[in-house]
Amino acid sequence: MKVTIVGAGNVGATCADVISYRGIASEVVLLDIKEGFAEGKALDITQCATNTGFNTKVSGVTNDYSKTAGSDVVVITSGIPRKPGMTREELIGINAGIVKAVAENVLKYSPDTIIVVVSNPMDTMTYLALKATGLPKNRIIGMGGALDSSRFRTYLSLALDKPANDISAMVIGGHGDTTMIPLTRLASYNGIPVSQFLSEEVLQKVAADTMVGGATLTGLLGTSAWYAPGASVAYLVDSILNDQKKMIACSVFVEGEYGQDDICIGVPCIIGKNGVEEILDINLNDQEKALFAKSADAVRSMNDALKTILV
């Protein structure tokens, strides 16, 4: 199984490292436009093999898409990261042209690939990749919900003082500071609703912390986070390559699901060898439905900025 990661920056390189270390794919190709950058990252990762015991072949190339031929999954992390005070939405004009060109280039050499979009604003870039390529909707996946859900579980684990891996929780909606919806009502600790352990006030704080989780890290680091995003991408890629059929919140194209049409937005999906194999319809209450509709409106308004690009 072969994975290409376009963009060898912090997120892309971390993703490559996790995929290699865990043996998720037999081959990983890092591609970047900066001369020697991907090659250096690939060599650095490869030199970990003797100490960590992985056998994945890792290579790097400078803007040579022919080396990506035959990729089962292509991850797009290209574009500029957020700076302190910058919203994901402000990145549209800069990153849209990059993502469109990357998607078109990888398909020249891997026409059957599944594309995972990481570039921000992620929902809009996922929609752009879908419309620009004309691929079936199951083969274009935005990974934001996987990351947001991991942050949600982390904040719940801190509040509960219990292991994050014992907590089940999901974030749906847009991958933005004001558009994501942490589903506190459905979160559980080993099958028991977390509301039995945490007050409503604490749950609301957990939700609020989750929504600004990325911005919090950007403020601390001076740039976007990379460890958790990279690991979240690897988790999603693992479910695709190994047909694990995990339920993961992903940004995918909806056609009537959750009352929405013609946008890519975070919903619970079954992810397997065909990409998005099913969109699950969970029963939202009236408040959650209203929040989802508001989130969809915000995502749709950002998509309007793509009209000139998609012409």
Side-chain angles (χ1 to χ4, degrees):
M1 291 292 190
K2 181 176 180 178
V3 176
T4 286
I5 301 168
V6 183
N10 288 335
V11 174
T14 300
C15 178
D17 185 51
V18 175
I19 288 174
S20 303
Y21 180 74
R22 293 182 55 200
I24 292 170
S26 57
E27 182 177 0
V28 175
V29 177
L30 273 170
L31 183 148
D32 203 277
I33 60 171
K34 184 178 179 182
E35 186 71 35
F37 191 61
E39 291 88 339
K41 291 289 185 77
L43 181 58
D44 194 14
I45 293 170
T46 298
Q47 289 171 354
C48 297
T50 56
N51 293 321
T52 57
F54 72 79
N55 296 306
T56 303
K57 176 185 176 183
V58 186
S59 61
V61 296
T62 301
N63 219 30
D64 182 0
Y65 283 87
S66 69
K67 302 298 185 183
T68 72
S71 294
D72 298 284
V73 177
V74 172
V75 177
I76 302 177
T77 73
S78 306
I80 67 166
R82 282 203 294 176
K83 302 297 182 184
M86 178 185 287
T87 66
R88 292 182 177 93
E89 292 78 7
E90 289 176 297
L91 299 178
I92 292 177
I94 300 170
N95 287 350
I98 298 172
V99 170
K100 182 174 183 288
V102 168
E104 292 170 346
N105 280 322
V106 297
L107 287 173
K108 293 177 184 176
Y109 299 96
S110 302
D112 299 320
T113 196
I114 292 170
I115 294 177
V116 175
V117 179
V118 183
S119 307
N120 277 317
M122 192 271 309
D123 300 291
T124 300
M125 294 301 103
T126 304
Y127 182 82
L128 169 68
L130 179 75
K131 294 296 184 178
T133 62
L135 287 180
K137 63 181 183 179
N138 63 296
R139 289 172 53 196
I140 302 285
I141 308 171
M143 80 91 203
L147 172 60
D148 297 333
S149 296
S150 73
R151 287 172 172 161
F152 186 27
R153 291 172 64 192
T154 297
Y155 284 118
L156 284 169
S157 75
L158 293 172
L160 290 164
D161 194 24
K162 298 294 188 295
N165 286 331
D166 285 347
I167 296 167
S168 177
M170 181 179 294
V171 176
I172 62 172
H175 180 58
D177 300 345
T178 61
T179 55
M180 67 179 74
I181 306 163
L183 294 173
T184 54
R185 180 178 64 89
L186 300 179
S188 63
Y189 166 57
N190 278 336
I192 304 171
V194 295
S195 57
Q196 292 193 24
F197 306 100
L198 301 175
S199 68
E200 181 62 25
E201 181 181 2
V202 171
L203 284 173
Q204 289 306 310
K205 184 180 187 308
V206 166
D209 288 344
T210 300
M211 293 175 72
V212 296
T216 299
L217 286 163
T218 300
L220 292 168
L221 297 168
T223 187
S224 297
W226 58 90
Y227 293 120
S232 296
V233 179
Y235 179 77
L236 180 58
V237 170
D238 193 11
S239 194
I240 297 169
L241 291 184
N242 293 299
D243 196 25
Q244 293 174 338
K245 301 190 188 303
K246 290 177 180 175
M247 181 175 69
I248 306 174
C250 298
S251 183
V252 298
F253 189 71
V254 293
E255 295 178 289
E257 294 92 349
Y258 294 89
Q260 300 299 325
D261 281 293
D262 196 35
I263 58 169
C264 291
I265 192 168
V267 290
C269 301
I270 300 299
I271 303 296
K273 64 181 180 181
N274 298 310
V276 181
E277 302 205 343
E278 183 182 357
I279 295 175
L280 299 177
D281 185 8
I282 57 176
N283 292 319
L284 301 180
N285 62 27
D286 289 343
Q287 181 184 19
E288 291 159 350
K289 288 178 181 177
L291 288 172
F292 192 87
K294 183 179 178 181
S295 177
D297 287 343
V299 171
R300 191 173 285 106
S301 68
M302 285 193 291
N303 291 351
D304 290 342
L306 297 175
K307 289 179 179 177
T308 56
I309 297 170
L310 290 170
V311 172

